[in-house]
Amino acid sequence: MQLSILNPTLTLATDPETEPLLRACCVTVSYGGTPAVRDVELDIARGRITAIIGPSGCGKSSFLAALNRLTDLIPGCAVSGAAMLEGRDLLAPGVDPVALRRRVGMIFQKPNPFAMSVRKNLEMPLKANGVTGRGDRRDLAEAALRDVGLWDEVSGRLNQSALRLSGGQQQRLCIARAVVLRPRLLLLDEPCSALDPMATQCIEELLLSLRGGCCGLDSTTEEPLTQVVVTHNLAQARRIADDTAVFWVRRGVDAKPCGVMIESGPTERIFSAPEQEETRRYVGGLQG
């Protein structure tokens, strides 16, 4: 039987319909004391794809980076509020960012494979996260490559540098490197912006195929993979997202512009019957 990271034979631990996987409560991200995005209140539904859309400069990427604690690495950046992942605040002091990033994976605009072989790109994070058996690492790496549709393309060159892959293949390898750890939440910041239309279609089909199927390496229960995708491509958001959150730039009480979330909900409603005038104009191509 072929091993699959996405469909282990395990028992579902929680009902995907009863509670969000993640609840952002008043999340504010500031740089040098100036808020880039303020007071985000957003529920991320379990096992679904949520798109975050909005014009440049409205804080979409800053919000996403805060959920992965990448903001910790930026001098002068401060994050307040709470991001509750199944009752645990990801933003709380003392959270181990390495352990967090095992549960909350991140994919960036430009593919960033390690400058090493395809095989080591997958086996190195497994080894770092306690998978000591060489055979186990090999099997999990193969499963991840199969799950992102890369195995047939790279199985004969696993020992070659990952940098020799095409851009679309590199991005799928980066997704495989994230899902090989079986995260609960996968964050994707403009994952197709550096890709051509054919590679973009491949990535979109991959994200749809990944929806709802990963589980933790140290878990004995199946848990659905939840994805949050920042995109400027409104057609892409409509194609792949179950839910959509709209970010915008508004002036606060201090008259300074700041990113805010102006509405969220099922994608079809956001595009067909938005509640906010800015959303109506933005999705209609009249503004933004």
Side-chain angles (χ1 to χ4, degrees), residues 6 21-22 42-52 64 67 103-105 107 148 175 178-179 183-189 191 203-214 224-230 240-245:
L6 302 182
L21 175 72
L22 183 138
L42 178 62
D43 285 354
I44 303 297
R46 190 184 301 268
R48 290 164 68 89
I49 298 176
T50 298
I52 298 179
L64 209 66
L67 300 183
R103 293 168 59 83
V104 182
I107 304 297
V148 302
I175 295 173
V179 302
R184 301 301 313 283
L185 177 63
L186 185 61
L187 310 174
L188 303 104
D189 189 2
I203 295 296
E204 289 182 4
E205 291 172 352
L206 167 59
L207 299 185
L208 289 169
S209 73
L210 290 175
R211 179 171 49 192
C214 289
L225 176 65
T226 302
Q227 300 170 71
V228 180
V229 183
V230 165
I240 70 172
D242 303 293
D243 306 298
T244 295

Side-chain angles (χ1 to χ4, degrees), residues 12-53:
L12 188 66
T14 51
D15 182 353
E17 303 299 326
T18 58
E19 59 178 298
L21 175 72
L22 183 138
R23 174 162 287 163
C25 307
C26 294
V27 173
T28 296
V29 183
S30 302
Y31 300 96
T34 300
V37 62
R38 187 197 308 268
D39 295 334
V40 177
E41 300 270 351
L42 178 62
D43 285 354
I44 303 297
R46 190 184 301 268
R48 290 164 68 89
I49 298 176
T50 298
I52 298 179
I53 63 174

Side-chain angles (χ1 to χ4, degrees), residues 53 234 238 244 246 248 269-274 277-287:
I53 63 174
L234 298 183
R238 197 162 192 173
T244 295
V246 184
W248 205 253
R269 184 194 67 74
I270 292 294
F271 280 87
S272 63
E277 177 63 15
E278 295 101 325
T279 303
R280 185 189 70 79
R281 293 180 61 82
Y282 183 63
V283 300
L286 302 175
Q287 188 175 355

Side-chain angles (χ1 to χ4, degrees), residues 7 15 18 70 88 101-102 138 141 164 167 179 184 198 203 222 239 244 254 257-259 273:
N7 295 293
D15 182 353
T18 58
L70 291 176
R88 300 178 182 178
R101 291 166 194 153
R102 175 172 166 174
R138 182 191 63 238
R164 296 177 62 180
V179 302
R184 301 301 313 283
M198 292 298 293
I203 295 296
E222 184 178 342
R239 284 193 297 267
T244 295
D254 56 3
C258 179

Side-chain angles (χ1 to χ4, degrees), residues 73-257:
L73 306 175
I74 302 174
C77 182
V79 181
S80 61
M84 307 302 295
L85 181 69
E86 299 179 313
R88 300 178 182 178
D89 185 6
L90 303 180
L91 307 182
V95 169
D96 179 356
V98 175
L100 164 64
R101 291 166 194 153
R102 175 172 166 174
R103 293 168 59 83
V104 182
M106 186 86 173
I107 304 297
F108 301 94
Q109 296 179 24
K110 185 177 179 181
N112 61 338
F114 301 142
M116 55 182 61
S117 71
V118 173
R119 186 192 307 277
K120 287 185 178 179
N121 263 269
L122 297 171
E123 293 191 359
M124 189 178 75
L126 285 169
K127 188 174 182 179
N129 280 277
V131 181
T132 57
R134 182 175 298 178
D136 292 337
R137 292 197 300 269
R138 182 191 63 238
D139 291 345
L140 287 167
E142 178 179 338
L145 290 172
R146 288 188 183 278
D147 286 330
V148 302
L150 262 183
W151 178 253
D152 291 342
E153 298 173 36
V154 304
S155 59
R157 42 183 173 151
L158 295 176
N159 295 319
Q160 294 181 10
S161 172
L163 302 181
R164 296 177 62 180
L165 301 177
S166 70
Q169 288 173 327
Q170 287 186 21
Q171 192 67 303
R172 280 188 285 157
L173 177 63
C174 291
I175 295 173
R177 190 177 64 198
V179 302
V180 78
L181 296 177
R182 299 177 180 175
R184 301 301 313 283
L185 177 63
L186 185 61
L187 310 174
L188 303 104
D189 189 2
E190 291 281 350
C192 301
S193 64
L195 304 179
D196 61 49
M198 292 298 293
T200 294
Q201 180 182 355
C202 186
I203 295 296
E204 289 182 4
E205 291 172 352
L206 167 59
L207 299 185
L208 289 169
S209 73
L210 290 175
R211 179 171 49 192
C214 289
C215 79
L217 278 175
D218 54 359
S219 175
T220 58
T221 55
E222 184 178 342
E223 300 289 355
L225 176 65
T226 302
Q227 300 170 71
V228 180
V229 183
V230 165
T231 180
H232 281 102
N233 186 330
L234 298 183
Q236 180 178 79
R238 197 162 192 173
R239 284 193 297 267
I240 70 172
D242 303 293
D243 306 298
T244 295
V246 184
F247 282 39
W248 205 253
V249 177
R250 286 182 174 171
R251 294 188 180 276
V253 293
D254 56 3
K256 293 182 179 179

